[in-house]
Amino acid sequence: MTQNAESKVTLPRDAKGKRSVFFDDPAIDQIMTFILELSAEVSVVYDRMDTVERLLDEKGTISRDDIEAYRPNEGVEAARNGRREAYLKRVFRMHQESGQKE
Amino acid sequence: MPLQHEHEFLVTGSHDEMNRQHYVSRLRMHILNQIGAGMRGVYENRVKPKFKQTNGRVPKNEHEIRKAMLADSYGKTWSTMMVNCQDMVWESVRPAIERAQPGLNEKVSRVKATHGSIVLNSDVKVPRYLAGADIHRMPGNYHTERATDDVTQGALYDRGRFVYNGGAAGPFADGIPRTMAAYIKARWPDFKPKKILELGCTIGTSTVPFVDAFPDAEVHAIDVSAPSLRYGHARAEALGKPIHFHQMDAEALDFEDQSFDLVYSCIIFHETSRKAYPKILEECKRILKPGGQMIHTELTPVANMDDFDAFYIDWDAYYNNEPFYQTYTSLDPEEWVTKAGFEPSKFFQASIPDLDRSPPDVFAGAVRNPTVADRKAARVGESAKWYTYGAWK
């Protein structure tokens, strides 16, 4: 149990218990993992661009450290959440007919 | 979404990691609210008629609804998104906590008990209901220890839960217990508990509001999970809140008979078991002083929901690793509180509007005129009302 203080800590990535599969072909559930994770990466890149733009507006020139150290205030976070929600609505839209009578 | 209060032991992450976490919060809300909004229509317009055609009747309960919904492409897509997003919550927090270790454990182990205290007891066994599956799919659950003085699971839970609920419970993730404490004070202004106990406190986010609400009281909190308690103690000290943490099992408390004025819990029963639930209620009765109060906020009983709302409970039980969720919500709290020895006339229940998400007059109205949850109170947080019950001894 006791860990060497020098060793790198790695945590499990999967929960104990059954992994649920919903589609007849489990590959579809797997692909959904890829798509959702990819959607997060696009959002993260967008936020990084937003940080760069905000810092440039403010200071004219910036370093990588400036970007890493940047933390949005509540107002910036609210603007980003608005952007994230619009993005989610564009990307993850269910087929219209799904909710309607066949 | 408010930003999380950053006490000195909170692990958030780098610039990009924090933005990933905040995105996952929004993604989860999108799946729940936007995509989830189509679920009832799919059921009414497509799944139910098809079921009726095949079986000559409508689905008779939430289990049949779940099976039928999961045969539909909309239900499958919503479900796989929900499960994936749940895993993304923890995954978005994991790398920063790995980097913070083992330094975080060392930092916590140096915390002095200035305001409160912590007493661990390695003889306390992790109950089977926690050891069997990782609740909420959080890898390692509340209790896993990987090193001496380990606090990893506490740190993972603190940040991960905030990502999970998108900050809906406020910067301190304490919306429900703050609502409970305010309700107790408003409804029973003459009740002045001197000694308070919380059951299943994990990292103490639900304990702190009771310290704030009852500053003259001595506040104790128990849990079986040492990593959560260590982290919770460090967090409470960082916030300057006097809380006495104990590693104990709520089924068999080490406290003496009649030693507390108020005993409470905050959405814990559905994570216990059919066998544990009555024992915990009996322990509440035992440790309460005469005239003391027991109060629990939990999920609304299924009897107060329509079948489609109950379907979500059924879904969570199966796919979000909440094995007792379904059975718990089928029980009648009044029956079990009475069986634990409380007098039927001393039982109370009410649905309390969330303090942050309801206008003050709505909260005040609920205090004056306590009513039980309506049918739309099914999904946790959806209606911004908290089903609460208890009894006086």
Side-chain angles (χ1 to χ4, degrees):
Chain A
M1 288 282 281
T2 307
Q3 197 150 5
N4 182 336
E6 298 302 312
S7 69
K8 191 181 174 301
V9 174
T10 52
L11 300 176
R13 302 179 75 168
D14 292 304
K16 190 192 270 188
K18 188 175 66 134
R19 163 113 221 155
S20 305
V21 167
F22 298 96
F23 287 92
D24 298 334
D25 184 348
I28 299 178
D29 293 88
Q30 173 65 76
I31 288 168
M32 190 61 89
T33 305
F34 298 155
I35 292 170
L36 289 169
E37 289 287 6
L38 191 57
S39 79
E41 296 315 296
V42 173
S43 180
V44 168
V45 171
Y46 204 115
D47 289 332
R48 197 168 176 92
M49 286 283 289
D50 181 61
T51 295
V52 170
E53 289 168 5
R54 285 177 192 276
L55 288 171
L56 282 175
D57 281 348
E58 207 179 290
K59 301 167 66 168
T61 176
I62 52 169
S63 66
R64 278 179 204 276
D65 287 347
D66 290 336
I67 299 170
E68 293 300 337
Y70 179 82
R71 291 292 177 272
N73 60 29
E74 298 243 350
V76 173
E77 194 55 39
R80 287 184 178 183
N81 278 333
R83 197 270 307 158
R84 287 170 186 138
E85 280 158 21
Y87 165 75
L88 283 161
K89 277 185 186 160
R90 285 197 303 280
V91 176
F92 294 109
R93 61 179 202 281
M94 296 297 281
H95 298 163
Q96 271 304 310
E97 66 275 19
S98 288
Q100 290 160 6
K101 214 168 188 161
E102 276 178 352
Chain B
M1 163 175 155
L3 295 165
Q4 186 172 13
H5 171 81
E6 295 194 30
H7 60 83
E8 64 181 289
F9 302 102
L10 181 72
V11 178
T12 53
S14 68
H15 175 274
D16 289 0
E17 285 165 344
M18 289 178 78
N19 283 318
R20 187 174 294 116
Q21 292 160 4
H22 291 170
Y23 172 74
V24 171
S25 290
R26 290 353 290 169
L27 173 64
R28 188 167 174 278
M29 291 302 139
H30 179 79
I31 299 167
L32 271 177
N33 300 328
Q34 302 290 319
I35 298 181
M39 291 281 277
R40 191 179 276 269
V42 166
Y43 175 66
E44 295 293 341
N45 299 327
R46 199 162 68 196
V47 173
K48 195 154 98 177
K50 196 175 164 193
F51 188 98
K52 210 170 162 184
Q53 210 172 33
T54 314
N55 300 281
R57 59 174 176 83
V58 297
K60 64 172 182 274
N61 55 34
E62 64 270 24
H63 315 305
E64 287 194 352
I65 294 177
R66 177 175 57 83
K67 285 183 184 147
M69 282 299 284
L70 292 187
D72 185 276
S73 65
Y74 200 105
K76 286 178 201 276
T77 304
W78 180 83
S79 296
T80 199
M81 290 182 90
M82 285 289 286
V83 168
N84 268 293
C85 190
Q86 184 75 16
D87 290 352
M88 287 171 78
V89 166
W90 311 114
E91 186 62 14
S92 74
V93 177
R94 182 187 54 81
I97 292 174
E98 286 180 345
R99 280 201 311 281
Q101 289 292 29
L104 181 65
N105 287 346
E106 287 162 21
K107 192 173 157 189
V108 168
S109 71
R110 288 197 299 271
V111 170
K112 296 218 166 36
T114 308
H115 305 281
S117 62
I118 177 167
V119 179
L120 297 178
N121 177 3
S122 55
D123 292 339
V124 173
K125 288 198 175 61
V126 174
R128 274 176 58 195
Y129 54 76
L130 288 180
D134 289 342
I135 292 183
H136 305 139
R137 303 186 58 75
M138 181 170 89
N141 218 344
Y142 305 109
H143 62 275
T144 302
E145 290 188 86
R146 302 180 187 83
T148 308
D149 298 332
D150 195 14
V151 298
T152 303
Q153 295 310 114
L156 185 64
Y157 184 55
D158 194 2
R159 185 60 178 168
R161 182 178 51 175
F162 194 85
V163 173
Y164 171 84
N165 70 22
F172 291 89
D174 63 355
I176 302 173
R178 225 166 356 94
T179 297
M180 285 176 82
Y183 185 83
I184 294 168
K185 286 179 76 167
R187 184 165 167 191
W188 299 286
D190 297 332
F191 179 49
K192 310 262 187 228
K194 290 277 174 234
K195 211 171 159 192
I196 299 174
L197 174 65
E198 183 187 10
L199 305 176
C201 66
T202 62
I203 60 168
T205 39
S206 45
T207 324
V208 170
F210 279 73
V211 173
D212 293 338
F214 302 101
D216 297 330
E218 186 182 300
V219 179
H220 295 255
I222 67 120
D223 202 280
V224 289
S225 301
S228 296
L229 289 167
R230 289 186 195 107
Y231 183 90
H233 171 62
R235 179 183 181 275
E237 291 293 332
L239 297 174
K241 307 292 179 184
I243 299 171
H244 303 286
F245 292 92
H246 309 261
Q247 187 175 17
M248 281 186 206
D249 186 338
E251 290 180 62
L253 297 166
D254 294 335
F255 298 115
E256 287 179 15
D257 294 0
Q258 306 192 0
S259 48
F260 287 91
D261 303 294
L262 173 64
V263 58
Y264 75 98
S265 74
C266 209
I267 321 215
I268 67 151
F269 285 128
H270 77 277
E271 295 182 10
T272 65
S273 73
R274 183 72 183 75
K275 275 166 98 172
Y277 176 53
K279 286 191 196 165
I280 297 171
L281 290 175
E282 284 167 18
E283 280 294 83
C284 290
K285 169 92 191 315
R286 182 181 68 77
I287 57 124
L288 272 183
K289 292 178 192 169
Q293 185 193 67
M294 168 182 86
I295 187 164
H296 307 287
T297 291
E298 247 298 354
L299 301 159
T300 304
V302 166
N304 296 72
M305 295 179 200
D306 75 11
D307 284 348
F308 188 78
D309 286 334
F311 147 76
Y312 289 103
I313 299 282
D314 202 45
W315 190 97
D316 265 330
Y318 275 84
Y319 304 117
N320 204 14
N321 282 359
E322 311 236 39
F324 183 50
Y325 207 123
Q326 202 182 337
T327 309
Y328 173 76
T329 52
S330 72
L331 301 175
D332 173 11
E334 184 167 8
E335 182 190 335
W336 289 94
V337 165
T338 310
K339 276 187 181 161
F342 290 94
E343 283 178 35
S345 64
K346 301 284 180 72
F347 176 82
F348 60 83
Q349 58 182 343
S351 292
I352 311 176
D354 187 271
L355 205 54
D356 298 335
R357 289 186 273 166
S358 318
D361 58 315
V362 171
F363 185 84
V367 170
R368 277 195 311 275
N369 181 25
T371 51
V372 179
D374 53 42
R375 289 153 69 92
K376 294 300 288 173
R379 290 162 67 190
V380 171
E382 190 184 51
S383 69
K385 273 186 185 174
W386 304 109
Y387 174 72
T388 301
Y389 66 93
W392 294 91
K393 181 167 169 180

